[in-house]
């Protein structure tokens, strides 16, 4: 059930703008990927934008975040640089990881995005450790850990949440449940009838669930969770259902593989979070056709600029493969 | 922890009644439970927690009562700690963690409580690995590790815990990546580490008695490996015996021998040699560990043999007043 949210509470236009920005960027990545100039795997969040956009707006700029392999939208929504993200996917020197990380290893210290890595669940304890340090120094910041439904199957998830609950750490565990791990559906990975947030509540922390296609709901639940965490009440786990349209890794649609039905896809696609929310804001008069056109043009220009920046940026010198291994020295 | 208030110390039992074989005694009293604390039995997550806390500016010292439990954390240490700086192109915060790994041996520690896996860790670019042999190096390397801005694995041998030696006062630091020439000699070079350094020193009098002058190099650091010191010595002596606390295949001793063969083959006066544990898991029964671990007498025999000489080790053998599977008479178990 969607709670009523007053217009003042929710930055509706900003939510829509953020969702459209994430969508447009990733659509552009998908369109241009076959050119062969983005020479690394890409994991797109097309269809899942509502969660990233809403959580990104609910988090304070000084809050911290970590994520996993599907991190473009988390990175951007947390305030990461779009040109440096695209440049990183292009393997350029101007990339946010200077060409060492690619699409799966993103960082923007200035934005509080502390890093994303590619091993499922691998940053859950890292985000928990950020929370430990914040708690130890009495900071009002919160550490947000983005992960998917498969990451709760990893041992470190339980270990990390257990520790955060013991120490009442300021950590927001943000689970995007898109029902698939690569091509493995939930039914082969978790017992029938399990509700992830209910399982997690049993570990001794606050846990809740919501429709991840509803950006206002995500925004409000995340805002409430952050307020609770900042009050010292301990970590919170939020599960939002969402759906990825494209293949696990790459720019294409993959319903032909048969691991999910076309009917399921079409049903989910019909509840598209971006289109649905745009209609909702149009009907309620928050945006107009004209303001939307302006918004879309600005986003298109930003995305075009980001690709132009990436295309124009030089590759790192080959010698840079041998730098950055240790702090304070080069090489080993 | 007095020097830097951002140092946190945690691990299973750091504040329990036994205090990690006494090594963390008094810490929680001095620095409080906010900085010194026990942890859930969650080695993997807690390694990631240490990484995360360090990304926010903390320095974390984590302890495992046996190295073997640390294997549960390999994803965090290999995929995260070791690569964090590199994979973000130097744009991320430093990973400032030290992990103390205590090595077991004897008293039935057996196949899962006494593994020496320093070569595994040294194989991973991005990690630093140290193995002190003396009290002064233990202090000096631990301080250097704590104030290093990179992840450091600190492997300490349980049999060295009761060792006595001169301890420099104050902020004494031993540089990571510098080996120590603990005995100078001219006939052969013995490269060793950790408890094997002690065994090698015990072998020296017998070698001297036989007229053999051995140069002993205690590596102290496994990565970075101080090959300059090793190669300079091998070029001088022309002979190399690499003694390892681990099994031989793909070991640190293998790396030492390979490097000498590649870099100064023309200076070798005979084939280099490795002396390491048998290529087996460590069994539990005292009947099976008798002779399993090389000791001073085997080192002396091996070194002398490389010079075509024999050595009288009767005195070393006669000096043993305790069973082979304990570091001394005082050791009554259980671990």
């Amino acid at each position: 059930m969607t709670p009523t949210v007053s217009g003042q509470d929710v930055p509706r236009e900003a939510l829509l703008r953020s969702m459209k920005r994430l969508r447009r960027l990733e659509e552009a990545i998908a369109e241009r990927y076959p050119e062969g100039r983005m020479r690394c795997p890409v994991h797109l969040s097309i269809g899942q934008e509502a969660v990233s956009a809403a959580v990104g707006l609910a988090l304070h700029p000084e809050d911290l975040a970590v994520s996993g392999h599907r991190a473009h939208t988390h990175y951007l929504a947390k305030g990461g640089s779009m040109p440096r993200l695209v440049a990183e996917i292009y393997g350029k020197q101007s990339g946010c990881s200077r060409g060492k990380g690619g699409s799966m290893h993103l960082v923007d210290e200035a934005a509080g995005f502390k890093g994303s890595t590619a091993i499922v669940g691998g940053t859950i304890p890292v985000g928990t450790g950020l929370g430990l340090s914040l708690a130890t120094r009495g900071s009002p910041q919160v550490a947000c850990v983005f992960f998917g439904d498969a990451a709760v199957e990893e041992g470190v998830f339980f270990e990390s949440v257990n520790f955060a609950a013991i120490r009442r750490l300021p950590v927001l565990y943000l689970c995007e449940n898109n029902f698939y791990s690569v091509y493995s559906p939930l039914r082969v990975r978790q017992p029938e009838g399990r509700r992830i947030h209910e399982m997690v509540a049993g570990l001794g922390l606050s846990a809740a669930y919501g429709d991840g296609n509803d950006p206002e709901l995500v925004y409000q639940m995340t805002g409430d969770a952050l307020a609770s965490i900042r009050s010292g009440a301990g970590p919170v786990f939020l599960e939002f259902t969402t759906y990825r349209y494209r293949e696990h890794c790459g720019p294409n649609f993959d319903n032909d593989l048969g691991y999910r039905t076309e009917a399921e896809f079409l049903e989910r696609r019909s509840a598209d979070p971006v289109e649905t929310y745009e209609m909702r804001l149009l009907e309620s008069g928050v945006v107009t056709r004209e303001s939307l056109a302006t918004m879309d043009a600005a986003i298109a220009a930003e995305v075009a600029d980001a690709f132009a920046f990436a295309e124009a940026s030089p590759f790192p010198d080959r010698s840079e493969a041998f730098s950055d291994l240790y702090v304070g020295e080069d090489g080993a | 922890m007095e020097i830097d208030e951002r140092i946190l110390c945690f691990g299973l039992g750091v504040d329990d009644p036994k205090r990690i074989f006494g090594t963390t005694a008094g810490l929680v009293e001095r620095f409080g439970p906010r900085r010194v604390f026990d942890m859930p039995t969650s080695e993997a997550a807690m390694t990631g927690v240490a990484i995360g806390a360090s990304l926010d500016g903390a320095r974390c010292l984590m302890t495992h009562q046996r190295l073997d439990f640390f294997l549960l954390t390999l994803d965090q240490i290999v995929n995260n700690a070791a690569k964090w700086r590199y994979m973000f192109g130097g744009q991320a915060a430093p990973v400032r963690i030290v992990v103390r790994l205590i090595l077991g041996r004897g008293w039935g520690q057996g196949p899962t409580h006494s593994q020496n896996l320093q070569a595994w860790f040294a194989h991973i670019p991005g990690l630093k690995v140290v193995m002190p042999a003396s009290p002064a190096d233990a202090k000096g390397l631990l301080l250097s590790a704590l104030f290093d801005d990179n992840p450091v694995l600190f492997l300490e041998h349980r049999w060295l815990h009761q060792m006595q030696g001169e301890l420099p006062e104050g902020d004494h630091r031993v540089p990571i990546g510098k080996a120590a020439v603990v005995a100078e000699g001219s006939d052969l070079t013995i490269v060793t580490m950790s408890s094997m350094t002690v065994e090698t020193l015990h072998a020296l009098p017998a070698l001297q008695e036989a007229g053999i002058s051995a140069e002993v190099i205690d590596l102290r650091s496994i990565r970075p490996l101080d090959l300059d010191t090793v190669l300079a010595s091998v070029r001088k002596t022309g002979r190399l015996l690499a003694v390892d606390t681990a099994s031989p295949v793909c070991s640190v001793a293998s790396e030492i021998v390979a490097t000498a063969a590649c870099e100064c083959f023309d200076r070798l006066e005979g084939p280099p040699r490795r002396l390491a544990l048998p290529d087996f898991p460590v069994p539990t029964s005292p009947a099976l560990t008798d002779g399993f671990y090389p000791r001073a007498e085997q080192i002396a025999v091996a070194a002398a043999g490389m010079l075509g000489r024999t050595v009288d080790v009767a005195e070393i053998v006669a000096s043993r007043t305790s069973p082979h599977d304990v570091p001394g008479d005082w050791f009554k178990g259980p671990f």
Side-chain angles (χ1 to χ4, degrees):
Chain A
M1 191 181 84
T2 305
T4 308
V5 182
S6 70
Q8 290 92 329
D9 288 339
V10 175
R12 292 178 155 170
E13 193 174 340
L15 273 177
L16 180 64
R17 182 185 304 114
S18 180
M19 290 168 70
K20 289 170 79 76
R21 181 172 176 260
L22 304 180
R23 171 69 57 93
R24 185 67 213 115
L25 173 73
E26 293 213 304
E27 295 279 12
I29 292 171
E31 287 158 17
R32 302 175 72 146
Y33 195 79
E35 294 169 358
R37 292 203 294 277
M38 289 176 269
R39 308 179 73 81
C40 67
V42 288
H43 301 78
L44 303 176
S45 294
I46 297 171
Q48 305 188 177
E49 294 88 346
V51 179
S52 295
V55 176
L57 282 167
L59 288 168
H60 293 178
E62 60 272 22
D63 287 332
L64 307 176
V66 291
S67 181
H69 58 281
R70 197 178 304 282
H72 299 168
T73 58
H74 304 145
Y75 171 90
L76 280 178
K78 184 64 186 75
S81 155
M82 187 189 290
R84 295 197 70 195
L85 166 63
V86 179
E88 186 59 35
I89 302 172
Y90 271 77
K92 296 299 182 74
Q93 212 275 338
S94 57
C96 60
S97 302
R98 292 178 25 193
K100 298 261 180 57
S103 158
M104 294 187 286
H105 308 103
L106 307 173
V107 72
D108 191 331
E109 286 280 333
F113 192 85
K114 301 291 281 185
S116 68
T117 75
I119 307 299
V120 176
T123 49
I124 296 177
V126 175
T128 306
L130 289 170
L132 172 67
S133 179
L134 296 174
T136 303
R137 61 186 179 87
S139 168
Q141 295 158 275
V142 169
C144 175
V145 189
F146 290 98
F147 52 92
D149 45 294
V152 307
E153 294 151 21
E154 297 282 359
V156 284
F157 170 76
F158 294 90
E159 296 184 2
S160 301
V161 167
N162 178 58
F163 180 67
I166 294 168
R167 308 265 309 191
R168 300 165 75 89
L169 300 182
V171 183
L172 173 63
Y173 294 99
L174 204 294
C175 176
E176 293 173 302
N177 181 355
N178 71 5
F179 307 102
Y180 291 94
S181 175
V182 191
Y183 310 120
S184 302
L186 265 174
R187 69 174 182 276
V188 304
R189 299 184 287 115
Q190 299 186 27
E192 191 179 345
R194 169 184 290 169
R195 291 164 65 83
I196 292 173
H197 62 286
E198 290 176 355
M199 174 189 75
V200 175
L203 296 172
L205 74 167
S206 172
Y209 160 90
D211 175 4
N213 275 357
D214 181 341
E216 294 188 8
L217 174 67
V218 176
Y219 181 84
Q220 188 188 47
M221 287 179 64
T222 306
D224 290 348
L226 291 168
S228 166
I229 294 167
R230 285 189 228 281
S231 78
V236 175
F237 176 93
L238 294 179
E239 175 193 358
F240 293 111
T241 48
T242 182
Y243 202 74
R244 123 195 147 216
Y245 295 168
R246 308 280 178 134
E247 57 196 337
H248 158 69
C249 180
N252 304 307
F253 293 97
D254 64 354
N255 296 336
D256 57 306
L257 295 179
Y259 73 99
R260 57 183 179 185
T261 64
E262 187 73 13
E264 174 190 295
F265 174 83
L266 291 173
E267 184 192 334
R268 297 283 182 176
R269 181 70 184 77
S270 70
D272 182 74
V274 181
E275 291 163 9
T276 304
Y277 197 53
E278 183 175 290
M279 285 306 297
R280 198 160 133 195
L281 295 197
L282 265 176
E283 285 164 8
S284 59
V286 175
V287 296
T288 62
R289 294 273 172 212
E290 292 71 31
S291 72
L292 276 180
T294 306
M295 184 188 287
D296 288 341
I299 290 170
E302 185 193 10
V303 169
D305 286 350
F307 276 90
F309 172 81
E311 297 263 10
S313 292
F315 280 109
D317 187 88
R318 274 167 58 175
S319 65
E320 289 194 30
F322 306 99
S323 64
D324 300 321
L325 185 57
Y326 292 99
V327 179
E329 62 211 76
D330 277 333
Chain B
M1 295 186 73
E2 279 170 1
I3 297 169
D4 186 346
E5 64 172 18
R6 297 296 323 267
I7 293 176
L8 305 177
C9 173
F10 58 92
L12 264 183
V14 294
D15 60 353
D16 76 4
K18 295 287 184 80
R19 304 292 169 99
I20 319 282
F21 310 112
T23 61
T24 56
L27 270 191
V28 69
E29 288 79 3
R30 276 172 75 186
F31 300 105
R34 190 177 61 86
R35 297 180 61 194
V36 181
F37 53 88
D38 213 329
M39 69 177 207
T41 314
S42 304
E43 291 83 358
M46 294 310 295
T47 302
V49 162
I51 295 166
S54 79
L55 297 180
D56 188 54
R59 291 184 182 274
C60 292
L61 171 59
M62 189 181 182
T63 301
H64 299 281
Q65 309 217 12
R66 287 287 178 265
L67 173 147
D68 315 73
F69 294 102
F70 181 66
L71 302 187
L72 288 160
T73 80
L74 284 183
D75 166 51
Q76 287 298 321
I77 207 73
V78 174
N79 282 319
N80 283 347
K83 295 175 177 61
W84 203 268
R85 175 172 174 76
Y86 186 85
M87 71 184 167
F88 296 122
Q91 307 290 291
V95 173
R96 305 190 298 193
I97 65 172
V98 180
V99 188
R100 287 178 56 205
L101 304 172
I102 296 174
L103 303 162
R105 166 173 163 176
W107 202 262
Q109 301 286 342
T112 65
H113 264 50
S114 56
Q115 294 167 89
N116 283 254
L117 300 174
Q118 58 269 22
W120 283 23
F121 309 138
H123 188 67
I124 308 299
L127 298 180
K128 294 187 178 184
V129 183
V130 300
M131 291 184 92
S134 71
D137 283 354
K139 175 177 180 175
L141 285 169
L142 185 60
L143 275 168
S144 290
L146 275 171
F147 292 102
D148 200 294
D149 286 338
N150 300 284
V152 184
L153 304 186
F154 187 93
L155 277 67
E156 59 188 67
H157 202 288
R158 178 78 178 88
W159 280 35
L160 300 176
H161 275 167
Q162 269 66 28
M163 208 167 130
Q164 296 186 347
E166 292 289 324
L167 196 64
E169 292 292 321
D171 187 358
H172 164 71
R173 301 194 193 185
V174 170
I176 295 173
K178 287 275 179 279
V181 180
V182 292
E184 292 198 19
S186 54
D187 293 333
L188 87 161
T189 299
I190 305 178
V191 178
T192 181
M193 69 200 77
S194 188
S195 64
M196 282 303 181
T197 298
V198 178
E199 296 288 350
T200 303
L201 291 175
H202 283 160
L204 284 187
L207 288 171
Q208 280 157 3
E209 195 74 19
I212 296 167
S213 167
E215 183 144 296
V216 181
I217 295 173
D218 175 16
L219 289 173
R220 301 198 292 197
S221 293
I222 308 300
R223 184 179 181 123
L225 198 52
D226 183 2
L227 294 169
D228 290 345
T229 297
V230 171
L231 292 172
S233 178
V234 174
R235 287 189 178 108
K236 181 175 79 174
T237 66
R239 288 188 172 82
L240 169 63
L241 172 63
V243 183
D244 206 315
T245 64
S247 55
V249 177
C250 301
S251 63
V252 176
S254 301
E255 181 67 21
I256 295 292
V257 165
T259 303
C262 293
E263 300 293 328
C264 56
F265 187 78
D266 56 335
R267 304 295 288 271
L268 290 170
E269 292 171 31
R273 184 170 171 191
R274 289 177 302 186
L275 186 63
L277 266 60
D279 199 14
F280 271 84
V282 176
T284 299
S285 164
L288 297 175
T289 52
D290 194 10
F292 198 87
Y293 288 100
R295 300 202 66 174
E297 50 270 38
Q298 283 89 353
I299 295 169
V301 168
M306 290 173 65
L307 290 151
R309 312 264 275 281
T310 55
V311 62
D312 181 4
V313 295
E315 201 170 324
I316 302 177
V317 175
S319 73
R320 306 240 179 263
T321 58
S322 52
H324 78 274
D325 62 342
V326 293
D329 280 331
W330 52 270
F331 192 98
K332 304 295 183 193
F335 72 104

